[in-house]
Amino acid sequence: MNTIRYASDTFGNAFDTTIPVYDDDGTNTNPVEDEPVVAPFIKTALLISKKALDCSNKSTVQFQITGDAPTGSKRRLVFKIDDAFYYFKNNALTEFPYDVTADNVLKYGNKPTTLNGYSVVRSFVGKKIFPVIALQAPSDADDFPTLKFQLKTQAEAETLTDTVESPIYILSEDNVPKIESITYESEIQGDASVTIKVRLQADDESWSDYMSLTAAANKSAVAVQFKITYKVTKTDGSDAAQVTQIVVNHTSGKTFVASNTAEIFSVVQNYENDLQTCYVIVRHSELFDSTITAYCNFMNEPARRDLIFLGNATGARQDLILGVDGVKDTGIDPATLELFAGDAPLTDYIGFNTEISTVTINVKKNTPIYASYEYNHDMEVWKKMTAQYTQPYNDDLNSYMTRFIFRTDDAGKKVANVRISLKRKTGSVSAESLGTATGKKQLFTLKHMPKPSTIKFPNATNPVDFSYDDESNILVVTAKKGTALSCKYSWLGEPISIYGYAAGWSVL
């Protein structure tokens, strides 16, 4: 079964509710005579599907169109096939001779009742069908038209595997996002299975090969497209597979925390004075179900070796001990390691291992090797800092500033650094009441930022159509008037953007 479902748009106030009603041949069946012509204030929508209903391997096709058509509303359809537009005229598929506009489709397009009356649609066999749907209603209507478009199809030969490609989904038009993860949900019956692969579009518009969903993690892309393969072992109805949703978690192309936690570390610095107090100021986006915590680390000054003799080169690959008189030094800071071959700096050595305190070289025979480095570094001990206050920064980014402080009682600490921990809280809501449906499109802001794939209305007595915009945290809902709306979802704190930070220490 192929399915596409649409709901109506939001409508405004009416100046006149007299709407001409056209039959399939364009005849107005609701003429208004001997009255001044008043332009009715009505709302129309034209929807052109980007996803094809694939009948290329089908032997029979039937319409199954459902939905509501309240009094005064209209629903009409035409079809895009092979880059041309068609409609049914005199029971035959005929090229649509008009511009594809909302007015023309409403005037000349086919009624759902007419299409449902066809027992078999032979002209769709072997084709990919893109429905074009026009909807109209008076602006003072209490209920608005909806349309669910389905094709019931049957294949002539038994088919156990079906592979389809999704439309192309744009992730960003302004930046280059990085994909964090791609997950999906499916409904599997019997011994059926689903396999999904994805290809990524780079910012130069080139496409990658199809890859597994896990392989796409940590890769950049401006758009994605999916290839879905369904497999069954039997065609008697006991095996069935359907992908219900695919979720792409990605950044917005900016530097911010996309996962649940992240850490920022400053460089370890020797300030050559006894330190007592640490201050940290972080400039960040507004926090919504997210937290920022700062930690500081005070350490003793390390010991240092300057130009100690390690030994003479053998002219072949060899390991030399970092230490004096064959005794290995521990706690060596690799960032401070410098080697010398005679009087010249040695930068092309093979490698070093601070775990066993050795360095590997291959230098001309009998060349003396020297080294300088810091060692006996303290272990890091992180102290949680006190958040003194958070306040608006008053800049173009609408950012905020949080100030942290910590004072140590330990004396003689000259080396320090800081760590900033970013965390997005998580949780779930079992039933957030949104009130009662009006029958029109309604907009809601939820208490938390939901994971879009988890939004459900499990207790609704009527179908609820909804969409969620994670940029604005707006949930758009359409349901039959009087339906109680109770939303269930899991949530994750809003991503944290860090615009900068500053850390300082004092001896007091």
PDB file of all heavy atoms in Angstrom, residues 47-67:
ATOM      1  N   LEU A  47      -0.585  21.373  -3.145  1.00  0.00           N
ATOM      2  CA  LEU A  47       0.448  20.485  -2.624  1.00  0.00           C
ATOM      3  C   LEU A  47       0.918  19.557  -3.726  1.00  0.00           C
ATOM      4  O   LEU A  47       0.128  18.810  -4.308  1.00  0.00           O
ATOM      5  CB  LEU A  47      -0.113  19.666  -1.455  1.00  0.00           C
ATOM      6  CG  LEU A  47      -0.813  20.476  -0.360  1.00  0.00           C
ATOM      7  CD1 LEU A  47      -1.585  19.558   0.564  1.00  0.00           C
ATOM      8  CD2 LEU A  47       0.202  21.286   0.425  1.00  0.00           C
ATOM      9  N   ILE A  48       2.221  19.611  -4.030  1.00  0.00           N
ATOM     10  CA  ILE A  48       2.814  18.747  -5.053  1.00  0.00           C
ATOM     11  C   ILE A  48       3.784  17.811  -4.361  1.00  0.00           C
ATOM     12  O   ILE A  48       4.763  18.259  -3.764  1.00  0.00           O
ATOM     13  CB  ILE A  48       3.529  19.566  -6.142  1.00  0.00           C
ATOM     14  CG1 ILE A  48       2.556  20.545  -6.800  1.00  0.00           C
ATOM     15  CG2 ILE A  48       4.135  18.637  -7.192  1.00  0.00           C
ATOM     16  CD1 ILE A  48       3.203  21.433  -7.856  1.00  0.00           C
ATOM     17  N   SER A  49       3.518  16.534  -4.416  1.00  0.00           N
ATOM     18  CA  SER A  49       4.349  15.569  -3.712  1.00  0.00           C
ATOM     19  C   SER A  49       5.748  15.500  -4.310  1.00  0.00           C
ATOM     20  O   SER A  49       5.927  15.513  -5.532  1.00  0.00           O
ATOM     21  CB  SER A  49       3.710  14.179  -3.766  1.00  0.00           C
ATOM     22  OG  SER A  49       4.556  13.217  -3.178  1.00  0.00           O
ATOM     23  N   LYS A  50       6.754  15.438  -3.432  1.00  0.00           N
ATOM     24  CA  LYS A  50       8.131  15.225  -3.876  1.00  0.00           C
ATOM     25  C   LYS A  50       8.484  13.741  -3.900  1.00  0.00           C
ATOM     26  O   LYS A  50       9.557  13.364  -4.346  1.00  0.00           O
ATOM     27  CB  LYS A  50       9.092  15.972  -2.950  1.00  0.00           C
ATOM     28  CG  LYS A  50       8.989  17.490  -3.045  1.00  0.00           C
ATOM     29  CD  LYS A  50      10.025  18.164  -2.164  1.00  0.00           C
ATOM     30  CE  LYS A  50       9.950  19.673  -2.298  1.00  0.00           C
ATOM     31  NZ  LYS A  50      10.978  20.346  -1.436  1.00  0.00           N
ATOM     32  N   LYS A  51       7.596  12.915  -3.375  1.00  0.00           N
ATOM     33  CA  LYS A  51       7.824  11.479  -3.318  1.00  0.00           C
ATOM     34  C   LYS A  51       6.862  10.775  -4.260  1.00  0.00           C
ATOM     35  O   LYS A  51       5.656  11.003  -4.215  1.00  0.00           O
ATOM     36  CB  LYS A  51       7.637  10.965  -1.896  1.00  0.00           C
ATOM     37  CG  LYS A  51       7.873   9.471  -1.750  1.00  0.00           C
ATOM     38  CD  LYS A  51       7.684   9.018  -0.311  1.00  0.00           C
ATOM     39  CE  LYS A  51       7.898   7.525  -0.170  1.00  0.00           C
ATOM     40  NZ  LYS A  51       7.701   7.068   1.222  1.00  0.00           N
ATOM     41  N   ALA A  52       7.397   9.909  -5.092  1.00  0.00           N
ATOM     42  CA  ALA A  52       6.566   9.193  -6.055  1.00  0.00           C
ATOM     43  C   ALA A  52       5.961   7.948  -5.426  1.00  0.00           C
ATOM     44  O   ALA A  52       6.574   7.310  -4.569  1.00  0.00           O
ATOM     45  CB  ALA A  52       7.391   8.804  -7.268  1.00  0.00           C
ATOM     46  N   LEU A  53       4.750   7.626  -5.853  1.00  0.00           N
ATOM     47  CA  LEU A  53       4.164   6.327  -5.572  1.00  0.00           C
ATOM     48  C   LEU A  53       4.536   5.424  -6.740  1.00  0.00           C
ATOM     49  O   LEU A  53       4.116   5.651  -7.882  1.00  0.00           O
ATOM     50  CB  LEU A  53       2.656   6.440  -5.411  1.00  0.00           C
ATOM     51  CG  LEU A  53       2.191   7.388  -4.291  1.00  0.00           C
ATOM     52  CD1 LEU A  53       0.689   7.360  -4.161  1.00  0.00           C
ATOM     53  CD2 LEU A  53       2.837   7.016  -2.974  1.00  0.00           C
ATOM     54  N   ASP A  54       5.364   4.422  -6.463  1.00  0.00           N
ATOM     55  CA  ASP A  54       6.013   3.642  -7.522  1.00  0.00           C
ATOM     56  C   ASP A  54       5.135   2.477  -7.963  1.00  0.00           C
ATOM     57  O   ASP A  54       4.915   1.524  -7.212  1.00  0.00           O
ATOM     58  CB  ASP A  54       7.356   3.137  -7.013  1.00  0.00           C
ATOM     59  CG  ASP A  54       8.227   2.584  -8.135  1.00  0.00           C
ATOM     60  OD1 ASP A  54       7.731   2.491  -9.277  1.00  0.00           O
ATOM     61  OD2 ASP A  54       9.400   2.252  -7.866  1.00  0.00           O
ATOM     62  N   CYS A  55       4.642   2.580  -9.185  1.00  0.00           N
ATOM     63  CA  CYS A  55       3.834   1.497  -9.757  1.00  0.00           C
ATOM     64  C   CYS A  55       4.573   0.812 -10.904  1.00  0.00           C
ATOM     65  O   CYS A  55       3.958   0.146 -11.752  1.00  0.00           O
ATOM     66  CB  CYS A  55       2.493   2.037 -10.276  1.00  0.00           C
ATOM     67  SG  CYS A  55       1.494   2.849  -9.024  1.00  0.00           S
ATOM     68  N   SER A  56       5.904   0.976 -10.955  1.00  0.00           N
ATOM     69  CA  SER A  56       6.674   0.478 -12.095  1.00  0.00           C
ATOM     70  C   SER A  56       6.657  -1.041 -12.213  1.00  0.00           C
ATOM     71  O   SER A  56       6.808  -1.575 -13.320  1.00  0.00           O
ATOM     72  CB  SER A  56       8.115   0.988 -12.009  1.00  0.00           C
ATOM     73  OG  SER A  56       8.704   0.622 -10.780  1.00  0.00           O
ATOM     74  N   ASN A  57       6.507  -1.749 -11.103  1.00  0.00           N
ATOM     75  CA  ASN A  57       6.486  -3.215 -11.175  1.00  0.00           C
ATOM     76  C   ASN A  57       5.127  -3.779 -10.771  1.00  0.00           C
ATOM     77  O   ASN A  57       5.033  -4.911 -10.292  1.00  0.00           O
ATOM     78  CB  ASN A  57       7.594  -3.805 -10.290  1.00  0.00           C
ATOM     79  CG  ASN A  57       7.409  -3.449  -8.825  1.00  0.00           C
ATOM     80  OD1 ASN A  57       6.654  -2.551  -8.489  1.00  0.00           O
ATOM     81  ND2 ASN A  57       8.108  -4.167  -7.949  1.00  0.00           N
ATOM     82  N   LYS A  58       4.061  -2.978 -10.951  1.00  0.00           N
ATOM     83  CA  LYS A  58       2.726  -3.400 -10.551  1.00  0.00           C
ATOM     84  C   LYS A  58       1.910  -3.819 -11.773  1.00  0.00           C
ATOM     85  O   LYS A  58       2.109  -3.308 -12.880  1.00  0.00           O
ATOM     86  CB  LYS A  58       2.003  -2.286  -9.799  1.00  0.00           C
ATOM     87  CG  LYS A  58       2.806  -1.670  -8.650  1.00  0.00           C
ATOM     88  CD  LYS A  58       3.226  -2.698  -7.615  1.00  0.00           C
ATOM     89  CE  LYS A  58       4.025  -2.039  -6.499  1.00  0.00           C
ATOM     90  NZ  LYS A  58       4.531  -3.027  -5.514  1.00  0.00           N
ATOM     91  N   SER A  59       0.976  -4.731 -11.523  1.00  0.00           N
ATOM     92  CA  SER A  59       0.110  -5.187 -12.618  1.00  0.00           C
ATOM     93  C   SER A  59      -1.284  -4.582 -12.527  1.00  0.00           C
ATOM     94  O   SER A  59      -1.973  -4.444 -13.541  1.00  0.00           O
ATOM     95  CB  SER A  59       0.019  -6.709 -12.611  1.00  0.00           C
ATOM     96  OG  SER A  59      -0.481  -7.181 -11.360  1.00  0.00           O
ATOM     97  N   THR A  60      -1.737  -4.232 -11.314  1.00  0.00           N
ATOM     98  CA  THR A  60      -3.025  -3.563 -11.138  1.00  0.00           C
ATOM     99  C   THR A  60      -2.872  -2.431 -10.139  1.00  0.00           C
ATOM    100  O   THR A  60      -2.064  -2.503  -9.206  1.00  0.00           O
ATOM    101  CB  THR A  60      -4.111  -4.539 -10.629  1.00  0.00           C
ATOM    102  OG1 THR A  60      -3.731  -5.045  -9.343  1.00  0.00           O
ATOM    103  CG2 THR A  60      -4.314  -5.687 -11.601  1.00  0.00           C
ATOM    104  N   VAL A  61      -3.667  -1.370 -10.352  1.00  0.00           N
ATOM    105  CA  VAL A  61      -3.640  -0.198  -9.481  1.00  0.00           C
ATOM    106  C   VAL A  61      -5.076   0.254  -9.236  1.00  0.00           C
ATOM    107  O   VAL A  61      -5.892   0.296 -10.178  1.00  0.00           O
ATOM    108  CB  VAL A  61      -2.824   0.955 -10.108  1.00  0.00           C
ATOM    109  CG1 VAL A  61      -2.825   2.178  -9.182  1.00  0.00           C
ATOM    110  CG2 VAL A  61      -1.403   0.524 -10.413  1.00  0.00           C
ATOM    111  N   GLN A  62      -5.390   0.598  -7.974  1.00  0.00           N
ATOM    112  CA  GLN A  62      -6.698   1.141  -7.629  1.00  0.00           C
ATOM    113  C   GLN A  62      -6.516   2.354  -6.705  1.00  0.00           C
ATOM    114  O   GLN A  62      -5.574   2.409  -5.915  1.00  0.00           O
ATOM    115  CB  GLN A  62      -7.544   0.090  -6.897  1.00  0.00           C
ATOM    116  CG  GLN A  62      -8.008  -1.065  -7.766  1.00  0.00           C
ATOM    117  CD  GLN A  62      -8.783  -2.072  -6.938  1.00  0.00           C
ATOM    118  OE1 GLN A  62      -8.214  -2.869  -6.194  1.00  0.00           O
ATOM    119  NE2 GLN A  62     -10.110  -2.037  -7.065  1.00  0.00           N
ATOM    120  N   PHE A  63      -7.458   3.304  -6.835  1.00  0.00           N
ATOM    121  CA  PHE A  63      -7.457   4.452  -5.926  1.00  0.00           C
ATOM    122  C   PHE A  63      -8.104   4.071  -4.607  1.00  0.00           C
ATOM    123  O   PHE A  63      -9.112   3.337  -4.579  1.00  0.00           O
ATOM    124  CB  PHE A  63      -8.244   5.626  -6.525  1.00  0.00           C
ATOM    125  CG  PHE A  63      -7.540   6.319  -7.659  1.00  0.00           C
ATOM    126  CD1 PHE A  63      -8.009   6.198  -8.958  1.00  0.00           C
ATOM    127  CD2 PHE A  63      -6.423   7.100  -7.427  1.00  0.00           C
ATOM    128  CE1 PHE A  63      -7.377   6.845 -10.010  1.00  0.00           C
ATOM    129  CE2 PHE A  63      -5.776   7.751  -8.468  1.00  0.00           C
ATOM    130  CZ  PHE A  63      -6.259   7.623  -9.756  1.00  0.00           C
ATOM    131  N   GLN A  64      -7.544   4.616  -3.520  1.00  0.00           N
ATOM    132  CA  GLN A  64      -8.181   4.542  -2.202  1.00  0.00           C
ATOM    133  C   GLN A  64      -7.943   5.900  -1.532  1.00  0.00           C
ATOM    134  O   GLN A  64      -6.969   6.094  -0.812  1.00  0.00           O
ATOM    135  CB  GLN A  64      -7.594   3.405  -1.354  1.00  0.00           C
ATOM    136  CG  GLN A  64      -8.069   2.025  -1.776  1.00  0.00           C
ATOM    137  CD  GLN A  64      -7.716   0.952  -0.764  1.00  0.00           C
ATOM    138  OE1 GLN A  64      -6.848   1.139   0.083  1.00  0.00           O
ATOM    139  NE2 GLN A  64      -8.381  -0.186  -0.856  1.00  0.00           N
ATOM    140  N   ILE A  65      -8.836   6.847  -1.795  1.00  0.00           N
ATOM    141  CA  ILE A  65      -8.693   8.227  -1.314  1.00  0.00           C
ATOM    142  C   ILE A  65      -9.711   8.469  -0.216  1.00  0.00           C
ATOM    143  O   ILE A  65     -10.911   8.241  -0.405  1.00  0.00           O
ATOM    144  CB  ILE A  65      -8.893   9.233  -2.469  1.00  0.00           C
ATOM    145  CG1 ILE A  65      -7.937   8.913  -3.625  1.00  0.00           C
ATOM    146  CG2 ILE A  65      -8.655  10.658  -1.974  1.00  0.00           C
ATOM    147  CD1 ILE A  65      -8.205   9.705  -4.883  1.00  0.00           C
ATOM    148  N   THR A  66      -9.234   8.911   0.930  1.00  0.00           N
ATOM    149  CA  THR A  66     -10.114   9.173   2.061  1.00  0.00           C
ATOM    150  C   THR A  66      -9.844  10.583   2.587  1.00  0.00           C
ATOM    151  O   THR A  66      -9.018  11.314   2.052  1.00  0.00           O
ATOM    152  CB  THR A  66      -9.902   8.139   3.174  1.00  0.00           C
ATOM    153  OG1 THR A  66      -8.519   8.173   3.572  1.00  0.00           O
ATOM    154  CG2 THR A  66     -10.255   6.744   2.703  1.00  0.00           C
ATOM    155  N   GLY A  67     -10.537  10.956   3.660  1.00  0.00           N
ATOM    156  CA  GLY A  67     -10.391  12.278   4.239  1.00  0.00           C
ATOM    157  C   GLY A  67     -11.736  12.953   4.403  1.00  0.00           C
ATOM    158  O   GLY A  67     -12.785  12.402   4.039  1.00  0.00           O
TER     159      GLY A  67
END
